[in-house]
Amino acid sequence: MKKSKWSLLLTIVLVLSVFLSACSGKKEEKASGDGSSNGGGSKEKVLNLMETSEIPYLDNIMADDQVSLNLANNVYEGLYTLNDKDEPVLSGAAEEPEEKDGGKTWVFKLRDDAVWSNGDPVTANDYVFAWRKAVSKDTATQYSFIYQVAGILNADKILNPEDPMYNKTDKLGIKAIDEHTIEVKFAGPTSAKPYLKAVLSFPTFYPQPEKFVKEQGKQYALEADKALYNGPFALTKWEHEKGWVLEKNDKYWDKKNVKVDKINVNILKDEATRINLFETGKLDRTTISAEYVDQYKDKKDVFSTVPESSVFFLRMNQKNKALANNNIRHALDMGWDKKQLTDVLLNNGSVPAYFLVPSKFVNGPDGADFREKNGDMNKGDAKKAKEYWEKGLKELGVKKLDLTLLNYDTDTAQKDAQFIKNQLEKNLPGLSLKIKAQPFKQKLKLEENMDYDISYAGWGPDYPDPMTFVDMFVTGGSHNEMNYSNKKYDELIKKASSETDLKKRWEMMQQAEKILIEDDAAISPMYQRGYAFITKSNIKNIHNHSFGGDYSYKYWDVE
């Protein structure tokens, strides 16, 4: 997921947090919403949370960033959802699917008590409509590829402009047997996809009410009242660039297990403002940057650090002639101190990354962490970086290079970028690195259009498998976004996608990661993210998902 982008990515800004910590130094920001709190004897359970970015997409099919995906995770629901142990459990489906044809066909019985927020039933056709919409060229969602990841029959052909079946969405492997039964067909054995149920819990597989969507037309999901909700919460208020309100969905089939009545989310870019609101009881939880860690780290009742599976990295756009040079990329990757960035500037539990697939994320068929075999890669130094740099300049026939680093507009991101700029310009003579800060949504669009040289990016996993990271960089992939192409890499990913021998599959993905990082230096990994939080002590049952949408507020409670 774009978080990094799941960037994860995972790609990767969060509801309750940020891609990086706070922004701008403005003091005039005020919380939106109705100002409800848990004080004054009120029986209503209210959470007051923060964000640093507007919602890019309320349409779950279009959602490709962490803010949008996390929202979708709480206001919509698919066949499966993640419980508080990160396990995919039944939600929209009433029972586990009946498997036929050796597992190539799954038949789901849908819940007869699942309804949309207007009272209409969630039907099998809602799934058929949404899935076909997701793979349509007219929709142009960044996440259409996830239907190939799941191995849905004909998804690869429907998405391939050179295939005769291109855009024939009615050929997708899903159909409605009756109002509450859907049949899903897969292109190959599902045993090759041990993560399949987790993938089906991802927002791009959620249903959409066809009649309502068509009635709204281009206005669908542009405002809170232009969408219907079937999840534990409904979006009831959305003040663009200010914040939004989620309220417990009284039409939700499992509403008795939803503890919180209302969630006020305010866009607060200035960290000092967030700290003040927290201290005055108007904000229940916020991330804090390095400068505030020492102030709070001994307050065990409110301070915590949370390790994550999101990895941040520098994209190097190979449409740029200089960045198409292997030696230049290696120099840029090795020419700065990653440990100093995490230990001094971030100081929030993040660790240096010399890899793409994070550590302590998933174990292989032998029980070993994916990281064990490849370990750290391209762990160079300034001297080695300079040697690569000089070779690259010679091959290009130049003595200097002017490059631009596309960056987030948060304060911490600016500090990180300035640190990288200073180190690279010092260690790589002849380099001039300009920083271009952009608001979150605009930055994503520039990346999508490959209108940049180098970009500060991230990715969080969409499902619990290394494939969610390594398949990003196949030639022409929707999340490649940097013109990288390696035939051997593509072949490994393609074979791993259908390999039923899980040990061989694991080894293929490890080989691919080594090509991407060690051989090609296609990206420059920065850090595996951690977060420092301060949280009111009465907020309970907080669980951070290690993939997909980061939080399920369904499980949270306020004492």
Side-chain angles (χ1 to χ4, degrees), residues 154-178:
N154 295 329
D156 56 341
K157 298 175 182 178
I158 294 168
L159 294 168
N160 183 0
E162 298 179 1
D163 194 283
M165 203 180 286
Y166 176 58
N167 203 42
K168 294 181 179 179
T169 60
D170 61 321
K171 301 296 184 183
L172 189 68
I174 181 173
K175 71 175 181 179
I177 302 299
D178 56 44

Side-chain angles (χ1 to χ4, degrees), residues 378-397:
N378 286 7
K379 197 172 181 179
D381 53 35
K383 182 180 178 181
K384 194 168 185 180
K386 187 178 179 182
E387 291 174 0
Y388 277 117
W389 183 250
E390 290 173 347
K391 287 179 183 177
L393 291 180
K394 186 176 181 180
E395 289 168 352
L396 293 169

Side-chain angles (χ1 to χ4, degrees), residues 266-488:
N266 295 283
I267 299 175
L268 301 168
K269 294 187 176 184
D270 176 45
E271 184 166 33
T273 300
R274 300 204 307 268
I275 296 295
N276 180 61
L277 289 171
F278 181 84
E279 290 293 348
T280 56
K282 296 177 181 177
L283 186 63
D284 294 326
R285 181 169 163 89
T286 180
T287 52
I288 57 174
S289 63
E291 62 185 293
Y292 286 99
V293 168
D294 289 341
Q295 177 180 333
Y296 286 98
K297 67 182 181 181
D298 294 327
K299 298 181 180 181
K300 304 301 183 184
D301 58 329
V302 299
F303 178 79
S304 63
T305 56
V306 180
E308 288 200 334
S309 300
S310 297
V311 174
F312 282 71
F313 51 86
L314 298 178
R315 292 181 181 275
M316 291 184 270
N317 186 359
Q318 294 189 34
K319 288 179 69 177
N320 182 303
K321 182 180 178 181
L323 296 174
N325 183 282
N326 189 293
N327 285 312
I328 294 295
R329 295 195 305 274
H330 272 85
L332 291 168
D333 181 31
M334 296 182 180
W336 60 283
D337 190 336
K338 300 176 183 182
K339 186 169 177 57
Q340 187 176 347
L341 173 68
T342 59
D343 294 0
V344 180
L345 269 73
L346 296 177
N347 190 27
N348 58 3
S350 297
V351 296
Y354 304 92
F355 46 76
L356 174 61
V357 180
S359 63
K360 299 179 182 179
F361 170 48
V362 283
N363 295 334
D366 60 354
D369 190 296
F370 184 89
R371 285 260 50 79
E372 280 195 22
K373 184 173 182 179
N374 286 349
D376 290 340
M377 295 173 284
N378 286 7
K379 197 172 181 179
D381 53 35
K383 182 180 178 181
K384 194 168 185 180
K386 187 178 179 182
E387 291 174 0
Y388 277 117
W389 183 250
E390 290 173 347
K391 287 179 183 177
L393 291 180
K394 186 176 181 180
E395 289 168 352
L396 293 169
V398 299
K399 293 184 178 180
K400 64 178 183 177
L401 284 177
D402 296 327
L403 297 171
T404 299
L405 172 58
L406 177 62
N407 193 23
Y408 304 103
D409 66 350
T410 62
D411 183 56
T412 300
Q414 295 304 313
K415 292 177 182 177
D416 295 348
Q418 190 63 48
F419 169 78
I420 294 170
K421 168 186 168 69
N422 292 343
Q423 290 232 326
L424 288 177
E425 289 183 344
K426 175 185 175 182
N427 296 329
L428 307 178
L431 173 65
S432 174
L433 187 63
K434 179 182 177 181
I435 299 171
K436 180 179 180 179
Q438 293 288 298
F440 181 49
K441 190 172 182 178
Q442 287 88 319
K443 179 185 176 294
L444 295 181
K445 183 60 66 175
L446 288 170
E447 282 184 324
E448 182 181 338
N449 295 333
M450 288 194 278
D451 186 12
Y452 71 93
D453 295 332
I454 303 171
S455 179
Y456 189 146
W459 188 263
D462 299 327
Y463 49 93
D465 191 88
M467 186 62 76
T468 187
F469 285 94
V470 296
D471 73 353
M472 267 197 295
F473 299 105
V474 295
T475 302
S478 59
H479 290 298
N480 185 315
E481 295 179 335
M482 57 188 199
N483 210 41
Y484 171 68
S485 181
N486 183 302
K487 288 184 179 180
K488 186 176 180 182

Side-chain angles (χ1 to χ4, degrees), residues 1-105:
M1 107 199 33
K2 267 190 180 177
K3 309 206 169 177
S4 131
K5 177 226 232 44
W6 305 147
S7 16
L8 138 19
L9 277 245
L10 290 193
T11 254
I12 222 85
V13 183
L14 300 169
V15 174
L16 300 183
S17 61
V18 287
F19 256 124
L20 303 148
S21 277
C23 171
S24 83
K26 297 178 185 174
K27 304 297 181 184
E28 71 275 12
E29 292 171 280
K30 297 180 181 179
S32 65
D34 61 8
S36 300
S37 70
N38 298 298
S42 171
K43 293 181 180 181
E44 187 176 51
K45 293 186 176 183
V46 180
L47 280 170
N48 294 299
L49 307 176
M50 51 72 58
E51 244 305 348
T52 61
S53 168
E54 165 72 315
I55 303 167
Y57 295 107
L58 177 56
D59 184 337
N60 60 286
I61 298 297
M62 296 302 298
D64 66 350
D65 63 274
Q66 206 56 40
V67 178
S68 304
L69 290 168
N70 203 61
L71 178 64
N73 191 47
N74 287 285
V75 299
Y76 307 121
E77 203 168 65
L79 297 168
Y80 292 94
T81 190
L82 299 179
N83 66 13
D84 57 0
K85 297 180 179 62
D86 274 2
E87 301 163 334
V89 294
L90 293 167
S91 53
E95 55 193 49
E96 289 293 349
E98 176 189 358
E99 296 189 25
K100 300 179 178 180
D101 304 326
K104 290 186 180 182
T105 299

